[in-house]
């Protein structure tokens, strides 16, 4: 069997990944990681804000004193210690025993990504439809694509997902005879927009899904990173049933440990554990001990405050720089938490086509197209403010503004540049129904 | 939506895990972990043989001095440092540059389990057939079941997979119009039998698969744990193409870190990375740094020798105890490495039915039925010798022999006990063709 034959073999049979190509964002990150480039493209927490000496000491003890258990196999659901701690963390945002949250129904996962993949594995069959905000998390699009499901984007505005658009989407899909499995939503400090679903809309979205018999998959990696007081309570805090709650320690502690979780409806908890065992046997006992010991012995609430302060300062630096430097016609969101600002470019600019020139000017961002399953979003970009320090953020925005000014000037002289055509949608609320991709 | 409705929803839609029930082995381990029980049921390495103080110190430094990278996000394929080290490890068993092994084609995974799951994800569609030894690794059966594939077991004898039976199975399945995707095999110190595919058969198995255009998935977690000199070279060392090589640091370093890998044919390497990103985004940077630093700075070859010596002593203790204590008519394999002995019970005994009485006698094992997709194996049991110390092994075998003697005596008086019926097959070579399950 030669390499070519194997290639044929793969092409013939590998249906599950048919259509997958190396992610544009992955390729982009390789370029963006050069030191001379100001990267506003990432989504990484500012790990240097952790007390690394103390964390290192704790990690050492977990190996030296508890290695016989932490370095050994564990159980598929995750350690009871960590699942208890996770319930303490969720209780901070109102998900507690009063709404049925229990360590029994927590499944520890390899970051938030595996949490999402497990839910997809449990529920999605090829040809199914998933409703999701437009734009949405690029990693979720990868999961749904791998499951051969289609994504119907529901438009957002400054208050998040638009309930009327959700109702229309559900009705349209029902009329078209499509099988919709769940709504995937990041209601708080959303990735990529930074937008938060308002208090009033949370109830309406839940009611709509309940009436339609639709499950809700609530992804909440950023909920504890608010800059302006508390966010509205998570959807799971409002409904005991019908909501899968997914979160992670990647933004509040350390992504390199790969520890996330699902709080699952009790009826399917065991199925999730079995699916996870088939995938990874068990989550890392060492990483779980690291997180539960961190939560049990170190001042993690104080550390959350540190992260919030660092990120608020950086968000402010970004908003100030955008206001001072961006060309007329540019707009952007004003996130009350999280890691990202979502910018809408002046008419006629194409964030994807502009990318090579931005890299040449030593600044990187993620083009909006990465966050839609249907190729829209070329009029948008995602800007990260959690990782670069304030002065680098300002410098990055300055370089970006320079590139955009040039594009606008060239466009005035030569017409559209870099293949930018008419944009189909910009993530606004103008699209009335679902856009199947 | 109530819990009941959700349950209905799950039952209606969760096709991928339909038929999954809480694993018998999982339930068994919960009982077997009681301190008064001698567990021969596990598959855990003897972590206490590691220099835990030194490992702990290393782990501490990785956090304190390198936390800004080790605790951060990484790339989906795994760090270049670890992939280089993995190639050094593979070179020990003859998989080196001369047969095309390169860090470029290594994909780091969450233990060997994710490695297997990724290959299944890439290649298996519902209804496909996978060829595998009978018996085979229980976790592989879970992966294939989750992928809705069927397993056709190929019989083994003391030299491993029987080439003639493999040929017959392929021909029968072809005649039946079945789509066979790959041969899954653990050629060296197999789980659960401890049997090693002989030198001569390795070439024949490869030739048969090559002629049939079948990929080979070679799972090799135990290859470096030989007690009697070197094992025959892995299949991947003999063929550049058509073989996926899977392994893990779970048996040679620490399962609690969950680090394994795939050496993939170059043509599909990138597809595996994309599939892994959709599943877990990236493997733990911290766990990868722990393994690559362990391999780079600590005497890991010496540690392998320590493991080999500890396990050889325990294997000998088990073989001696079996020879001294087992009732007539019991037979067992004589593993030259690895963690397991596979025992065949005297006619009429049923390892699954006998389990509650064994637990009452404070000894645990895994009934052979766990290692077949088709429910056969009730005349066999898997006995682990890597974890319990020699005197506990002997005590466990003594208790087990007592239970068996009692079963035999009761059988003489009352006939078959505990629902033991005629056994369909005992993992021997008497079954001529594939047995689809």
């Amino acid at each position: 069997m030669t390499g070519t034959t194997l290639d044929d073999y793969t092409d013939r049979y590998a249906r599950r990944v048919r259509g997958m190509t190396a992610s544009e964002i992955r390729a982009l990150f390789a370029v963006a990681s050069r030191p001379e480039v100001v990267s506003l493209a990432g989504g990484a927490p500012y790990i240097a804000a952790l007390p690394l000496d103390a964390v290192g000491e704790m990690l050492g003890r977990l190996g030296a004193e508890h290695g016989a258990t932490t370095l050994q196999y564990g159980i598929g659901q995750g350690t009871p210690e960590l699942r208890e701690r996770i319930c303490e963390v969720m209780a901070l945002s109102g998900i507690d025993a009063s709404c049925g949250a229990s360590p029994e129904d927590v499944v520890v996962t390899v970051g938030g990504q595996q949490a999402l993949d497990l839910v997809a594995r449990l529920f999605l069959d090829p040809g199914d439809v998933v409703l999701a905000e437009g734009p949405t998390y690029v990693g979720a699009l990868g999961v749904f694509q791998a499951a051969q499901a289609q994504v119907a984007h529901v438009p957002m505005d400054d208050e998040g997902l638009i309930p009327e658009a959700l109702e229309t989407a559900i009705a349209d899909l029902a009329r078209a005879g499509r099988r919709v499995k769940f709504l995937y939503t990041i209601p708080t400090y959303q990735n990529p927009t930074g937008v938060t679903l308002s208090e009033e809309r949370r109830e309406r979205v839940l009611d709509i899904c309940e009436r339609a018999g639709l499950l809700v998959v609530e992804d909440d990696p950023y909920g504890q990173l608010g800059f302006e007081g508390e966010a509205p309570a998570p959807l799971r805090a409002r409904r005991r049933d019908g909501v899968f709650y997914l979160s992670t320690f990647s933004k509040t502690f350390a992504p390199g440990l790969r520890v996330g979780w699902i709080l699952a409806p009790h009826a399917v908890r065991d199925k999730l554990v079995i699916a996870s065992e088939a995938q990874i046997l068990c989550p890392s006992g060492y990483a779980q001990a690291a997180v539960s010991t961190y939560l049990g012995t170190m001042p993690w609430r104080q550390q959350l405050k540190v992260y919030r302060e660092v990120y608020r300062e950086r968000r402010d630096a970004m908003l100030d720089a955008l206001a001072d430097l961006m060309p007329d016609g540019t707009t952007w969101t004003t996130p009350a938490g999280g890691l990202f600002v979502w910018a809408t470019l002046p008419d006629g600019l194409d964030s994807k086509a502009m990318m090579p020139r931005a890299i040449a000017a030593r600044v990187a961002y993620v083009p909006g197209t990465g966050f839609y399953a249907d190729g829209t979003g070329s009029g948008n970009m995602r800007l990260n403010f959690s990782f670069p320090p304030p002065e680098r953020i300002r410098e990055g925005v300055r370089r970006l503004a320079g590139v955009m000014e040039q594009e606008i000037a060239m466009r005035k002289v030569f017409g559209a540049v870099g293949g930018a055509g008419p944009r189909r949608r910009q993530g606004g609320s103008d699209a009335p129904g679902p856009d199947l991709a």
Side-chain angles (χ1 to χ4, degrees), chain A residues 367-388:
Chain A
T369 45
F371 306 95
Y372 288 94
D374 57 8
T376 54
S378 64
N380 301 96
M381 53 176 62
R382 189 190 77 177
L383 302 173
N384 168 260
F385 55 78
S386 61
F387 196 71

Side-chain angles (χ1 to χ4, degrees), chain A residues 201-277:
Chain A
R201 284 193 184 174
R202 290 186 182 225
E203 289 297 329
R204 286 175 62 200
V205 164
L206 284 165
D207 287 343
I208 291 167
C209 289
E210 210 163 64
R211 271 201 306 276
L214 260 193
L215 290 178
V216 175
V217 178
E218 176 178 31
D219 196 359
D220 189 26
Y222 316 105
Q224 295 183 324
L225 294 174
F227 314 142
E228 294 160 7
E230 293 299 303
L235 305 178
R236 178 59 183 80
R238 300 157 192 270
R239 291 295 187 283
R240 195 179 265 268
D241 298 307
V243 180
F244 286 77
Y245 180 83
L246 279 48
S247 190
T248 174
F249 292 102
S250 291
K251 316 299 180 196
T252 53
F253 180 26
L257 295 172
R258 313 302 303 121
V259 180
W261 75 91
I262 310 175
L263 176 66
H266 188 73
V268 295
R269 188 275 323 261
D270 212 46
K271 286 196 165 65
L272 282 172
V273 173
I274 293 165
S276 184
E277 287 173 342

